[in-house]
Amino acid sequence: MRKTIIFIFCLVLLFFNFNTEIKGLLLQLNSFDQMKRLLLIVITISCYTLPVTLLLNYKMQVISFNELLWFILNGSFIAGTFSYYLIYQLDNFIIKNSSISLLGAALEEVLKALAFILAFFLIYKKNKYNILNIFAFASLLGLGFQMYEDYIYFLNSVDQGSIIFLKSMFERLSNSISSHWMYTGITSFGIITLLEKNITKSISMLLLISPAVLHIIWNSSWNNSTFISSILSAITVYLYFYSYKTAYDYSQNTNGFHFKV
């Protein structure tokens, strides 16, 4: 009964945040040119969303449509919406602009992890999901967050010049490969292995905190060249596929490893 009440409450939040975004979007779009740019935004986000979704579904065992939709929506309209709201409040009332990107990076990783724990708890059934399923779910939630963040970023630049708008789109698209969907997958795997003691504690802690550290460095003044950003992306991709391989091995070699809560 308690889980049902929480589930309904989360659905209310999802629809409330979704409807709020739609109403805000309709108020902002006042010309045909803006509508064309909105179409470009949808196409750009789809360029990485569809391949990543198909990859996760193919490589990480069967994911139902309901599960896919549940975690993507939680990433967008629970983690994404609240993250944007909190960072906006911090930016305006609490801290200096020079620090908001660093604190925001850490806050986003924490909120995504909490949103994933809640979303998984609400659909959890004993002996149904293995560690690879959970890794995929977390990646989907991170993908939903990434979609929302890119949508907000593009929408805020929709009234700027065409060149600036297109540059921002290509920049976000180029960074989409090693972004939030990988960060959240790595973090979730760190949490799972830390609780289940499947690998050494030091590696679990590394996986748990590395996405936040990488994200903070990405947003910092240290990331001031293509070489640095390439190193950060390479580390992220390596940690993600290390997590995937380890999760896959556990799922194959333990006759159905099951997450215990």
Side-chain angles (χ1 to χ4, degrees):
M1 183 63 181
R2 181 178 61 181
K3 183 182 286 191
T4 301
I5 293 173
I6 298 174
F7 185 82
I8 294 173
F9 178 72
C10 286
L11 285 178
V12 172
L13 281 179
L14 282 173
F15 283 111
F16 176 80
N17 290 333
F18 175 78
N19 290 330
T20 300
E21 290 295 337
I22 293 298
K23 289 181 180 179
L25 177 64
L26 294 176
L27 289 174
Q28 185 168 345
L29 298 178
N30 299 311
S31 68
F32 183 68
D33 184 61
Q34 290 177 327
M35 294 295 294
K36 289 191 294 184
R37 291 189 179 188
L38 175 63
L39 179 60
L40 281 176
I41 291 172
V42 173
I43 294 173
T44 302
I45 293 176
S46 299
C47 284
Y48 67 78
T49 301
L50 294 178
V52 169
T53 302
L54 292 173
L55 177 67
L56 290 173
N57 191 50
Y58 174 72
K59 286 292 185 180
M60 303 194 186
Q61 303 177 2
V62 177
I63 301 172
S64 72
F65 178 76
N66 290 339
E67 291 164 344
L68 185 149
L69 193 62
W70 172 247
F71 284 100
I72 286 181
L73 288 177
N74 271 274
S76 293
F77 299 110
I78 296 294
T81 302
F82 282 105
S83 173
Y84 180 78
Y85 174 78
L86 289 175
I87 292 174
Y88 178 82
Q89 296 301 320
L90 291 173
D91 192 23
N92 284 280
F93 301 110
I94 298 179
I95 62 177
K96 297 179 180 179
N97 290 334
S98 59
S99 303
I100 187 61
S101 61
L102 305 183
L103 181 59
L107 181 63
E108 286 176 359
E109 298 308 318
V110 171
L111 287 175
K112 285 187 295 177
L114 293 175
F116 168 70
I117 292 171
L118 176 62
F120 180 70
F121 165 75
L122 292 175
I123 68 164
Y124 174 76
K125 293 181 180 179
K126 190 175 182 180
N127 296 333
K128 181 178 181 180
Y129 301 113
N130 61 36
I131 194 171
L132 192 59
N133 298 141
I134 300 167
F135 182 66
F137 293 156
S139 300
L140 287 170
L141 188 138
L143 180 64
F145 184 97
Q146 185 173 327
M147 292 166 60
Y148 180 82
E149 185 179 73
D150 284 347
Y151 161 76
I152 292 295
Y153 190 91
F154 294 149
L155 200 62
N156 288 337
S157 62
V158 75
D159 291 324
Q160 298 180 7
S162 298
I163 299 300
I164 296 176
F165 177 73
L166 291 174
K167 281 184 176 180
S168 69
M169 291 184 66
F170 284 118
E171 181 182 8
R172 300 294 295 188
L173 184 61
S174 67
N175 295 333
S176 63
I177 298 175
S178 58
S179 189
H180 288 287
W181 69 282
M182 285 193 172
Y183 287 156
T184 314
I186 297 167
T187 301
S188 71
F189 189 69
I191 294 172
I192 295 166
T193 55
L194 191 63
L195 293 174
E196 296 292 330
K197 300 179 175 63
N198 304 111
I199 57 179
T200 62
K201 186 176 180 179
S202 59
I203 295 179
S204 294
M205 289 300 299
L206 174 65
L207 295 172
L208 178 62
I209 67 174
S210 60
V213 174
L214 290 167
H215 196 172
I216 289 171
I217 296 175
W218 183 276
N219 286 2
S220 73
S221 58
W222 291 354
N223 186 18
N224 55 9
S225 69
T226 303
F227 180 68
I228 299 297
S229 60
S230 298
I231 291 176
L232 295 174
S233 295
I235 293 173
T236 302
V237 171
Y238 174 81
L239 291 175
Y240 185 83
F241 282 102
Y242 169 82
S243 301
Y244 163 73
K245 184 179 183 303
T246 307
Y248 180 83
D249 289 342
Y250 278 127
S251 299
Q252 295 298 311
N253 299 331
T254 57
N255 296 319
F257 173 84
H258 297 295
F259 187 60
K260 299 183 280 289
V261 296

